[in-house]
Amino acid sequence: MAVVSLSCAFGLTGCAGGIELPSLLYLAVGTNSDQTIDAELVEDIGARLKLLESSFRQIYPSTRFQFAAYPEDEIKPAMARRNGAGLGPDLLLINGDTAKQLVNAGLADPFPLTPTLANLFNPGDLERLRLPNGDLAGLPVIIHSQLACFNRKRLPDPPSTLQELLEASAKGQNIGLSIELSTLFWSAGSLGATDAWLRVVQDKRLSREDVNSIENWTTWLQNASDQQRITFYPNQASALTEFSTGRLDWISCSSTNLPRLRKSLGASLGVSNLPSGPGGSASPINRLRVLALGRSSSRQGRARALAFSRFSVNPLVQRSITLGSQVLLPANRFVKVPVQSSGTLQAMSDSQEASLRTAELANLLHVDDPRLDRAQTLITQLVFGEISPQGAAKALIALMEAKP
């Protein structure tokens, strides 16, 4: 398991002769599957935490930070080991679904939410983090947006519709799509299939129109795979590598990918909305990042963790994080994003609004839902032509109607 920790590097940890100062806040940071834990990513995380630390120390001057980065899909066993040794973190910065898994497994504690604090967030975001007993798995802090990335030199005008995307490929532009369902589902909204999928998961009766919309989506996916200049990749990381090296002209991407893409492509990197279609706007799946409470904190450590969590959602801090990074959106609903100042911020804001179409569906389907693995297999078979669009739609509906 790849784990990177910083002690005195970046000034994140107070060190004196190798001895940590007493007011140390240990933070575990989860990384997504399309992020590689290397020196570049560690530097990027460190730089963002450095900004927060310097502001937080104006109120709590003795506090220092230490962090370790873990792949999100490996963080559960890692926390089990560290908690068992009494070395777990005070806080975890992770995806909302992961926070729910950790609290359910007894590896993190629920976050105590006051009415004043709850008022800062959209009720739907809090609902996504609720456990069956009503506890909150973590405090919403930031939002990662799903976007479209393109090479300005080769594709000056990004496609705004699915039809324009196909036309761009027909004209010789190289288009990359990830076969991963979580990064491909944006196209379901463009084909008008998101409401139908919600009814499937809710076990409601489907109309013929619902079935048709799902078949339209699976048909588009198979037709796209038949295009000479559209390539489906096994995962998002592969598509990102091809795009960053200039072999692709357009991909879907996450705002978390932007710092690395800016370094590799410079001014050639363009960011836009995902293409709409006859069914309406795209249906991006944005990630809600939260601060979850570790279980190994001392009484003082827990007090610092709660103080830092509340500090992180302060409107001034949230605005600073958004403007300073240009890759994050604030979870605090009262923070207004100055979209006029940046095309990237505008695209991220549009993505957040469009993601409301999938919010309820995302709340019903969690990353550890066993049906998703089977659905991924069916999508893979569809793209490679091993199953017809009609057959894929029928099998997917039957699968998702079944109880997990």
Side-chain angles (χ1 to χ4, degrees), residues 293-317:
L293 296 173
R295 303 206 72 183
S296 297
S297 293
S298 64
R299 185 175 63 179
Q300 289 182 331
R302 174 58 58 86
R304 282 194 301 271
L306 289 171
F308 178 71
S309 299
R310 292 189 292 266
F311 174 81
S312 298
V313 297
N314 177 286
L316 290 176
V317 174

Side-chain angles (χ1 to χ4, degrees), residues 207-366:
S207 66
R208 183 64 246 179
E209 183 180 355
D210 289 331
V211 175
N212 287 342
S213 67
I214 293 174
E215 289 182 354
N216 288 340
W217 178 54
T218 55
T219 298
W220 187 88
L221 291 177
Q222 194 168 87
N223 287 343
S225 71
D226 291 336
Q227 304 299 310
Q228 185 176 1
R229 295 283 184 171
I230 295 181
T231 303
F232 279 84
Y233 291 88
N235 51 58
Q236 185 69 5
S238 300
L240 283 165
T241 298
E242 293 297 290
F243 179 72
S244 65
T245 55
R247 288 189 286 270
L248 289 175
D249 305 317
W250 185 99
I251 61 169
S252 67
C253 59
S254 168
S255 59
T256 58
N257 306 137
L258 297 183
R260 183 163 296 196
L261 292 176
R262 286 168 183 159
K263 289 182 178 180
S264 59
L265 295 174
S268 297
L269 176 64
V271 178
S272 68
N273 297 337
L274 289 161
S276 61
S281 64
S283 49
I285 297 178
N286 293 342
R287 295 182 184 272
L288 185 63
R289 299 281 281 179
V290 308
L291 285 171
L293 296 173
R295 303 206 72 183
S296 297
S297 293
S298 64
R299 185 175 63 179
Q300 289 182 331
R302 174 58 58 86
R304 282 194 301 271
L306 289 171
F308 178 71
S309 299
R310 292 189 292 266
F311 174 81
S312 298
V313 297
N314 177 286
L316 290 176
V317 174
Q318 290 265 290
R319 181 179 174 85
S320 176
I321 292 173
T322 301
L323 294 178
S325 69
Q326 298 280 307
V327 300
L328 308 169
L329 286 179
N332 186 323
R333 65 190 176 102
F334 295 111
V335 177
K336 302 302 180 184
V337 179
V339 295
Q340 299 85 355
S341 65
S342 167
T344 298
L345 288 178
Q346 179 68 68
M348 290 165 58
S349 180
D350 291 344
S351 175
Q352 176 60 9
E353 183 176 350
S355 72
L356 296 177
R357 301 180 66 184
T358 58
E360 188 172 359
L361 185 61
N363 191 42
L364 294 171
L365 284 174
H366 304 296

Side-chain angles (χ1 to χ4, degrees), residues 21-341:
L21 295 175
S23 298
L24 178 69
L25 189 66
Y26 176 34
L27 180 68
V29 180
T31 63
N32 296 320
S33 60
D34 57 3
Q35 294 177 295
T36 301
I37 299 178
D38 55 17
E40 186 177 339
L41 180 63
V42 169
E43 183 177 2
D44 182 53
I45 296 173
R48 295 182 198 174
L49 287 177
K50 179 71 173 178
L51 293 174
L52 282 173
E53 182 196 33
S54 61
S55 299
F56 187 66
R57 287 182 59 203
Q58 294 180 30
I59 307 173
Y60 301 93
S62 66
T63 300
R64 298 295 188 274
F65 288 74
Q66 181 180 6
F67 80 87
Y70 299 83
E72 193 98 358
D73 57 0
E74 298 177 16
I75 203 166
K76 187 174 178 180
M79 290 305 102
R81 290 192 296 271
R82 294 197 67 89
N83 287 353
L87 299 173
D90 299 297
L91 278 172
L92 301 97
L93 179 60
I94 50 181
N95 293 325
D97 271 350
T98 304
K100 294 174 76 171
Q101 292 179 36
L102 291 179
V103 174
N104 283 331
L107 299 174
D109 286 336
F111 197 97
L113 191 66
T114 64
T116 300
L117 202 55
N119 186 54
L120 298 178
F121 310 105
N122 290 316
D125 288 341
L126 293 179
E127 189 61 29
R128 290 170 62 181
L129 299 171
R130 291 288 182 191
L131 300 168
N133 64 359
D135 286 342
L136 195 73
L139 186 72
V141 180
I142 52 178
I143 298 167
H144 292 166
S145 308
Q146 191 179 16
L147 307 162
C149 289
F150 63 98
N151 190 317
R152 293 182 184 275
K153 289 185 178 179
R154 292 185 49 83
L155 190 62
D157 298 313
S160 60
T161 66
L162 291 180
Q163 182 59 35
E164 290 179 5
L165 186 68
L166 296 179
E167 290 173 357
S169 71
K171 293 177 181 177
Q173 309 301 327
N174 294 311
I175 309 298
L177 295 171
S178 167
I179 209 168
E180 290 178 327
L181 186 56
S182 61
T183 58
L184 193 59
F185 193 77
W186 64 265
S187 56
S190 306
L191 276 302
T194 52
D195 288 344
W197 277 124
L198 179 59
R199 280 188 279 275
V200 170
V201 175
Q202 291 175 328
D203 200 21
K204 292 184 178 179
R205 189 178 187 87
L206 297 185
S207 66
R208 183 64 246 179
E209 183 180 355
D210 289 331
V211 175
N212 287 342
S213 67
I214 293 174
E215 289 182 354
N216 288 340
W217 178 54
T218 55
T219 298
W220 187 88
L221 291 177
Q222 194 168 87
N223 287 343
S225 71
D226 291 336
Q227 304 299 310
Q228 185 176 1
R229 295 283 184 171
I230 295 181
T231 303
F232 279 84
Y233 291 88
N235 51 58
Q236 185 69 5
S238 300
L240 283 165
T241 298
E242 293 297 290
F243 179 72
S244 65
T245 55
R247 288 189 286 270
L248 289 175
D249 305 317
W250 185 99
I251 61 169
S252 67
C253 59
S254 168
S255 59
T256 58
N257 306 137
L258 297 183
R260 183 163 296 196
L261 292 176
R262 286 168 183 159
K263 289 182 178 180
S264 59
L265 295 174
S268 297
L269 176 64
V271 178
S272 68
N273 297 337
L274 289 161
S276 61
S281 64
S283 49
I285 297 178
N286 293 342
R287 295 182 184 272
L288 185 63
R289 299 281 281 179
V290 308
L291 285 171
L293 296 173
R295 303 206 72 183
S296 297
S297 293
S298 64
R299 185 175 63 179
Q300 289 182 331
R302 174 58 58 86
R304 282 194 301 271
L306 289 171
F308 178 71
S309 299
R310 292 189 292 266
F311 174 81
S312 298
V313 297
N314 177 286
L316 290 176
V317 174
Q318 290 265 290
R319 181 179 174 85
S320 176
I321 292 173
T322 301
L323 294 178
S325 69
Q326 298 280 307
V327 300
L328 308 169
L329 286 179
N332 186 323
R333 65 190 176 102
F334 295 111
V335 177
K336 302 302 180 184
V337 179
V339 295
Q340 299 85 355
S341 65

